[in-house]
Amino acid sequence: MDTEKCKVLLCAIETGSFSATAEKLGYTPSGISRMMAAMESEMGFPLLSRSRMGVTPTMNCEKMLPVIRELVRLGEQFDQMSAEICGLVTGKVSIGVSYYAYYRWLFKLIVLFREIYPNIEVNILEGNSSSLSSAMDEGRADLCIISRREGNFRWITLLEDPMVAWVPETHPLAAAEKFPIHAYETEPFIDTFPGQDTDNARILARNNIKPNIRFTTSDSLATYYMVEAGLGMSLNNSINGKDLNGT
């Protein structure tokens, strides 16, 4: 199996588009289409469902994804080892980050890393802790800065970070010594990453709290500024409010 085709397939699934895949990998859309047709012919069954909305993996493709990802990983390992034998250090490192507060620190480290290993490609993945831990399980990430999740990972604690209430500055509860978590059941609540396995969702579920959801976002920074504007209150990791003022 050609690992380059496997890599193209994974990119097509990630982007949901042949044209976006072509732009990202440096091919033409027709070239991507031919590669996928050849791979499907080799496999003996369709891998992608095509529609006006783009491409999605078939059920048979979903079954094959763990093996396909492993083939891509082994192909990259083969290339890296070959380059090392030839006296070069090449390859790709994928780093997942859940918290934008770590970006400045992480990117300074990457600058130093690139000075030592200029031929290593560094890819940054974004997402919540659960989605990035899945990326680790599937071999799509080599390192992640996330909240602790279940899995066979090697953990290094960077910070003990509490969950905190985000409350508008003018709200009476802003001056309270402790925030009553049951207030989320009646006060307007801004839900970050709704329906996903987040730290805030885990805390609410653990306390049997059904929040009064009035707004949803997929960005902690957006949640922060919505709270600051007085649209409601929220629950979030303390580090997400670092260097921000108002709540």
Side-chain angles (χ1 to χ4, degrees):
M1 175 60 64
D2 185 345
T3 57
E4 182 63 20
K5 291 177 184 175
C6 293
K7 187 184 299 184
V8 170
L9 173 64
L10 294 179
C11 187
I13 293 172
E14 179 185 345
T15 62
S17 163
F18 282 171
S19 58
T21 300
E23 183 177 352
K24 187 173 183 178
L25 299 182
Y27 290 95
T28 63
S30 59
I32 295 293
S33 182
R34 286 194 298 271
M35 289 177 71
M36 293 299 92
M39 188 174 181
E40 289 176 326
S41 177
E42 185 177 348
M43 299 283 285
F45 52 81
L47 294 169
L48 296 171
S49 296
R50 298 154 174 83
S51 70
R52 294 180 183 177
M53 303 299 294
V55 295
T56 55
T58 62
M59 290 182 63
N60 285 332
C61 182
E62 293 277 7
K63 293 177 183 178
M64 294 294 298
L65 281 180
V67 178
I68 292 170
R69 289 193 176 102
E70 182 65 9
L71 283 173
V72 170
R73 187 190 68 80
L74 290 173
E76 291 175 348
Q77 186 177 347
F78 177 88
D79 292 339
Q80 291 171 20
M81 188 174 295
S82 299
E84 288 174 9
I85 292 172
C86 294
L88 302 172
V89 179
T90 63
K92 178 180 179 181
V93 175
S94 292
I95 303 173
V97 188
S98 282
Y99 307 108
Y100 53 78
Y102 279 107
Y103 282 161
R104 184 176 299 169
W105 169 76
L106 175 63
F107 296 156
K108 287 181 178 178
L109 290 181
I110 291 175
V111 169
L112 297 175
F113 178 83
R114 292 278 295 172
E115 290 176 358
I116 303 171
Y117 303 105
N119 295 318
I120 298 289
E121 177 187 343
V122 180
N123 180 38
I124 303 298
L125 305 176
E126 295 179 284
N128 62 44
S129 295
S130 295
S131 65
L132 290 178
S133 68
S134 295
M136 289 281 288
D137 275 332
E138 296 167 0
R140 294 185 289 112
D142 302 294
L143 167 70
C144 287
I145 301 175
I146 60 176
S147 296
R148 186 175 287 272
R149 289 292 185 267
E150 301 76 15
N152 186 27
F153 310 125
R154 178 171 170 267
W155 290 96
I156 299 175
T157 301
L158 298 178
L159 177 72
E160 294 290 343
D161 186 45
M163 298 296 291
V164 296
W166 284 356
V167 182
E169 190 175 22
T170 57
H171 195 283
L173 286 174
E177 184 176 342
K178 292 183 180 180
F179 183 84
I181 194 168
H182 287 282
Y184 288 131
E185 294 181 317
T186 55
E187 295 284 348
F189 185 78
I190 303 168
D191 194 13
T192 312
F193 295 111
Q196 299 187 37
D197 182 22
T198 58
D199 291 341
N200 41 302
R202 289 185 174 205
I203 291 292
L204 294 172
R206 191 181 305 158
N207 289 274
N208 296 315
I209 301 296
K210 186 176 181 181
N212 178 26
I213 298 173
R214 296 295 181 87
F215 301 95
T216 62
T217 77
S218 297
D219 181 353
S220 294
L221 188 60
T223 299
Y224 186 96
Y225 286 119
M226 290 174 75
V227 172
E228 187 180 58
L231 292 173
M233 54 182 60
S234 193
L235 175 67
N236 219 297
N237 303 79
S238 176
I239 196 170
N240 282 337
K242 185 179 179 182
D243 299 328
L244 299 173
N245 297 312
T247 55

